[in-house]
Amino acid sequence: MSKTDAPWAGGIHRFTASIPMKVLLEVKNPIFLPFRNNIQTETGLNTANFQRGMSLMSDDVATRLNGRLFEQYILEEEDEV
């Protein structure tokens, strides 16, 4: 692999792992998930989890986030029509 294998300076040599992802949809506006005592109430993630580029989460949490993002996407598509 070369340093040009990624679209950022230094390529993937700066990271211990690269994880391929397929982007299925993109929302224009963020969804807001509230925090209580440094813990995001819908996901159980705490503020320390957001200091990294990626954090582990359960399938249940990932499915709920996927649903919220899909709902936002549908709302934005309806607004455009």
Side-chain angles (χ1 to χ4, degrees):
M1 291 186 200
S2 75
K3 290 188 175 190
T4 61
D5 288 334
W8 52 80
I12 59 174
H13 292 281
R14 292 178 40 206
F15 304 95
T16 57
S18 60
I19 301 169
M21 295 181 202
K22 183 176 182 180
V23 177
L24 301 175
L25 57 89
E26 188 173 341
V27 295
K28 295 178 181 86
N29 299 301
I31 57 173
F32 294 97
L33 304 173
F35 282 85
R36 185 177 305 142
N37 297 327
N38 293 328
I39 297 175
Q40 201 173 49
T41 56
E42 288 188 46
T43 65
L45 298 173
N46 62 41
T47 52
N49 293 119
F50 293 98
Q51 294 176 0
R52 298 174 183 86
M54 300 184 120
S55 288
L56 293 174
M57 65 178 67
S58 69
D59 287 345
D60 179 54
V61 169
T63 300
R64 279 189 276 138
L65 286 176
N66 184 52
R68 291 287 304 273
L69 288 167
F70 190 70
E71 288 170 4
Q72 179 68 23
Y73 177 78
I74 295 296
L75 286 172
E76 290 174 358
E77 290 295 305
E78 289 173 352
D79 287 343
E80 287 185 8
V81 175

